[in-house]
């Protein structure tokens, strides 16, 4: 189950990132990845409340980490425990979807069982006592007692810190505006990952990792490089790699040898 050393490294990496000039969507994706690995889960996603929606509260998925490239029914992350946790600001859980006889979240339970899932925890993301979203973790086995809930809540709290802080140049922007910016940025990241996946014939997770490596190699934040890839795709749909955004930059030429 959860490895203590691994969880400590995950928290250390995320807190270190939050002291730098970071991209919020990239941090949320890192949180999802650490949650999936740390809980040995089928999937981990971050959902945020869509404040612009009218009527009943809705959530939108902004980060996702999967055991494989086959995603579960997206309704599992917009209904049931995910929505309840995001809306009410509380932990929502089911220890064993198959064994428990509980009428709550009936349609969700049917969808989860159809996907072969057994356990779920949704950890609330709140800032200044305001519910913002949740970190939702699904497992293929019952949740059990070996998965520490405090790790999930720590990750959810780090999401809240990222949303509250935002990027360096926008520290004074309200949390609500930061959430809106994340929802927009997530679209750019998803498009760029799709371009890389199609061009290099990769799965979604390897394409995400390639995007992060490319951004580092080019000296950009992840979302800034994602915008470069989107621009390259639009400028040259037949071959987006022409601009160089899909490959690492060429190595610098070695210095000339000077004889004295």
């Amino acid at each position: 189950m959860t490895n203590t050393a691994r969880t400590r490294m995950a928290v250390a990496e995320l807190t270190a990132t939050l002291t730098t000039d970071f991209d919020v969507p990239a941090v949320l994706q890192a949180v999802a990845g650490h949650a999936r690995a740390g809980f040995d889960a089928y999937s981990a996603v971050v959902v945020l409340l869509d404040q612009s929606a009218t009527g009943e509260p809705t959530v939108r998925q902004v980060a996702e980490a999967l055991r494989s490239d086959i995603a579960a029914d997206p309704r599992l992350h917009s209904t049931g425990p995910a929505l309840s946790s995001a809306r009410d600001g509380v932990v929502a859980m089911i220890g064993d979807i198959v064994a428990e006889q509980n009428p709550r979240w009936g349609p969700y339970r049917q969808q989860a069982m159809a996907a072969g899932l057994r356990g779920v925890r949704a950890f609330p993301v709140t800032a200044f006592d305001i519910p913002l979203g949740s970190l939702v973790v699904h497992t293929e086995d019952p949740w059990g007692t070996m998965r520490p809930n405090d790790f999930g809540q720590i990750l959810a709290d780090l999401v809240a810190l990222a949303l509250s802080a935002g990027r360096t140049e926008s520290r004074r922007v309200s949390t609500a505006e930061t959430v809106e910016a994340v929802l927009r940025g997530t679209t750019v990241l998803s498009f760029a990952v799709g371009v890389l996946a199609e061009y290099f014939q990769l799965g979604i997770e390897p394409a995400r990792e390639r995007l992060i490596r490319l951004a580092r190699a080019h000296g950009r934040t992840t979302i800034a490089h994602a915008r470069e890839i989107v621009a390259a795709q639009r400028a040259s749909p037949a071959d987006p790699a022409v601009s160089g955004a899909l490959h690492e930059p060429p190595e610098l030429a070695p210095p000339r040898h000077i004889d004295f």
Side-chain angles (χ1 to χ4, degrees), residues 196-236:
L196 291 172
E198 181 176 357
Y199 187 84
F200 292 104
Q201 296 298 296
L202 298 172
I204 296 301
E205 293 301 324
R208 284 193 182 118
E209 294 174 2
R210 184 179 286 259
L211 173 58
I212 294 171
R213 291 198 303 270
L214 284 173
R216 290 172 180 167
H218 284 270
R220 302 188 182 106
T221 62
T222 307
I223 197 167
H225 195 70
R227 291 193 182 101
E228 292 292 324
I229 292 176
V230 171
Q233 170 68 21
R234 289 173 176 169
S236 180

Side-chain angles (χ1 to χ4, degrees), residues 52-183:
S52 64
T54 58
E56 291 295 319
T58 60
V59 293
R60 285 178 56 186
Q61 182 175 306
V62 295
E64 177 185 50
L66 305 171
R67 189 188 302 280
S68 67
D69 286 331
I70 302 175
D73 190 329
R75 290 174 296 178
L76 295 175
H77 307 129
S78 59
T79 60
L83 178 59
S84 294
S85 177
R87 179 190 59 208
D88 302 331
V90 298
V91 176
M93 64 188 79
I94 301 177
D96 189 340
I97 294 170
V98 174
E100 292 181 13
Q101 299 297 321
N102 191 321
R104 191 182 187 193
W105 304 316
Y108 159 82
R109 290 173 184 269
Q110 293 177 359
Q111 294 156 10
M113 285 192 289
L117 303 178
R118 298 284 294 273
V120 61
R121 285 290 189 280
F123 303 95
V125 175
T126 62
F128 312 109
D129 295 325
I130 300 173
L132 302 175
S134 65
L135 169 64
V136 189
V137 182
H138 280 97
T139 60
E140 295 165 296
D141 57 330
W143 189 267
T145 60
M146 301 300 292
R147 294 182 169 98
N149 289 327
D150 55 351
F151 175 57
Q153 193 55 59
I154 288 170
L155 293 179
D157 291 343
L158 290 175
V159 170
L161 285 174
L163 294 172
S164 301
R167 286 175 54 88
T168 302
E169 66 268 21
S170 59
R171 298 296 184 187
R172 296 184 178 87
V173 176
S174 71
T175 303
E177 290 174 321
T178 303
V179 170
E180 288 299 316
V182 169
L183 295 176

